Amino acid sequence: MKYIRQTCSIILVLFCVSSLNAHEIRPGFLQIEQIDATTYHVYWKIPRMGDAIPKIYLQYPEGFEVTEAKRPNPIPGFVLYAYKMTSNEVLNGKVIGIDGLDKTLIDVLVNVNFLNGEKISFMLQPDHTSEVIPDKETLLNTIKTYLVLGIEHILLGIDHLLFVLALLLITPGFKKLVKTITAFTIAHSITLSMSALGFIGLPGPPVEAVIALSIVFLALEVLKYHKGEQSLTIKYPWIIAFSFGLLHGFGFAGALADIGLPQTTIPSALLFFNVGVELGQILFILIVLALISLLNLKKTWPVYLKKIPAYAIGSIASFWLIERVVGFWS
């Protein structure tokens, strides 16, 4: 069973590494800020893969004049465009869309902030490329939007998935696994909620660096586990899962802060973003367990396979750690 876990994890690690460059499935962001009765600032962030920029273009509402406010600004993983949009007509009830979105895998979150404090959020997707801007936020729309965003965030959050994968590798037995994953879920739900509501907070870059460090730590624990050594982590993985889960919750909160919460349905948006994260996490765990079951047909595996996944996970996380620490001064 140990060898089966190792082979399964190799496949998943290779999948994760390949996913590091799969930028096209990152969500895009469209932010529209009302400045006065006739003027809006538009920020359009398109995900890119290297220097390649998807050929997707905003379709502005009829009756609005659009001018470029700033030159396109390349930022890590994205290109940011800024425009000024003016009209004597109201934005509510107008159609906004994205041409070419149906030829991609990109989802786009649209945030509209009005002068009166009203905030509206909705998703545009390859099979739904345009939307009528509603008069106000609805509960059903909030649930749909933030549930999808939560699922996407965890499935695209390769660092969080590698942490969960490492937990799986040192947690034999279904009961122990359930206890460990539950502890991780409770912990990051606490800090995600508290941080999103503004009760606590930590700066993003140090949090991301320590998240990478937590994966390096677990990779070392995986090596100990397969050497037959004992440690607090191996004996009681739920304690470590809970402790580091608190930190990972700040990472989830940072992503949610970038997205923003609709003013009129904050509790529902927060709840269903968290539910989406958990659903994505459960899906990942089920895929891991399914692969383990499929590989269970083979009883013996080469000894060298035992160490490869831990070194692979640790190497990737070490690269992230160095990159993120260096980023403090860049």
Side-chain angles (χ1 to χ4, degrees):
M1 188 66 180
K2 291 190 296 183
Y3 302 117
I4 294 171
R5 285 177 177 270
Q6 298 299 328
T7 303
C8 176
S9 59
I10 290 173
I11 296 171
L12 289 170
V13 167
L14 292 175
F15 169 77
C16 289
V17 172
S18 66
S19 296
L20 293 177
N21 293 320
H23 294 306
E24 192 187 10
I25 57 176
R26 287 180 177 177
F29 297 97
L30 175 60
Q31 183 83 18
I32 302 175
E33 299 270 357
Q34 186 177 18
I35 305 304
D36 56 40
T38 61
T39 307
Y40 299 82
H41 285 174
V42 179
Y43 303 96
W44 171 218
K45 191 161 68 171
I46 302 178
R48 61 187 173 98
M49 182 165 49
D51 294 328
I53 303 173
K55 295 181 179 180
I56 55 177
Y57 309 96
L58 286 177
Q59 296 175 321
Y60 291 97
E62 291 186 6
F64 281 75
E65 180 181 344
V66 179
T67 56
E68 187 177 73
K70 294 181 181 179
R71 294 177 60 84
N73 179 28
I75 58 178
F78 295 89
V79 176
L80 180 63
Y81 299 85
Y83 301 97
K84 181 180 178 181
M85 191 168 68
T86 58
S87 177
N88 290 322
E89 302 181 35
V90 297
L91 190 59
N92 304 87
K94 297 291 186 180
V95 176
I96 194 163
I98 300 177
D99 185 36
L101 192 64
D102 57 335
K103 298 180 177 63
T104 72
L105 299 175
I106 300 171
D107 291 342
V108 176
L109 174 66
V110 181
N111 283 336
V112 184
N113 296 331
F114 289 102
L115 203 59
N116 62 2
E118 183 72 33
K119 182 173 183 178
I120 294 171
S121 301
F122 56 88
M123 292 282 286
L124 297 178
Q125 298 174 300
D127 60 348
H128 181 71
T129 62
S130 63
E131 179 78 45
V132 176
I133 298 175
D135 291 328
K136 61 181 180 179
E137 186 75 15
T138 65
L139 179 59
L140 182 61
N141 186 62
T142 298
I143 291 173
K144 177 184 175 182
T145 299
Y146 283 85
L147 185 66
V148 171
L149 285 170
I151 294 172
E152 287 186 346
H153 179 70
I154 185 65
L155 293 182
L156 296 177
I158 306 301
D159 48 359
H160 300 297
L161 294 184
L162 279 187
F163 183 86
V164 173
L165 176 59
L167 282 176
L168 292 176
L169 296 177
I170 60 171
T171 313
F174 181 75
K175 184 177 180 180
K176 195 174 185 180
L177 177 60
V178 169
K179 187 184 294 186
T180 301
I181 296 302
T182 300
F184 181 63
T185 296
I186 292 173
H188 70 63
S189 296
I190 291 172
T191 46
L192 166 60
S193 301
M194 297 292 286
S195 181
L197 294 174
F199 293 110
I200 54 176
L202 290 176
V207 166
E208 295 299 324
V210 179
I211 285 175
L213 183 61
S214 73
I215 302 169
V216 175
F217 171 79
L218 275 187
L220 294 173
E221 293 298 306
V222 173
L223 288 176
K224 290 181 184 179
Y225 173 77
H226 289 291
K227 290 178 182 177
E229 299 179 12
Q230 291 295 316
S231 67
L232 177 67
T233 304
I234 294 170
K235 288 182 179 179
Y236 310 107
W238 53 87
I239 296 177
I240 301 302
F242 185 87
S243 301
F244 281 126
L246 293 171
L247 187 68
H248 281 247
F250 286 111
F252 292 134
L256 187 56
D258 291 337
I259 296 168
L261 290 169
Q263 297 299 310
T264 55
T265 54
I266 287 178
S268 299
L270 179 57
L271 171 62
F272 283 94
F273 180 83
N274 201 33
V275 169
V277 168
E278 304 316 322
L279 289 176
Q281 181 176 283
I282 291 170
L283 176 61
F284 176 74
I285 292 170
L286 291 177
I287 291 173
V288 173
L289 296 179
L291 288 174
I292 290 175
S293 298
L294 288 174
L295 294 170
N296 198 30
L297 297 173
K298 187 174 177 63
K299 299 299 182 182
T300 59
W301 299 85
V303 176
Y304 71 87
L305 289 178
K306 297 172 65 175
K307 295 183 179 180
I308 293 177
Y311 283 121
I313 293 171
S315 298
I316 295 170
S318 296
F319 171 77
W320 285 334
L321 176 60
I322 295 170
E323 181 183 50
R324 294 170 183 182
V325 170
V326 170
F328 293 168
W329 294 275
S330 61

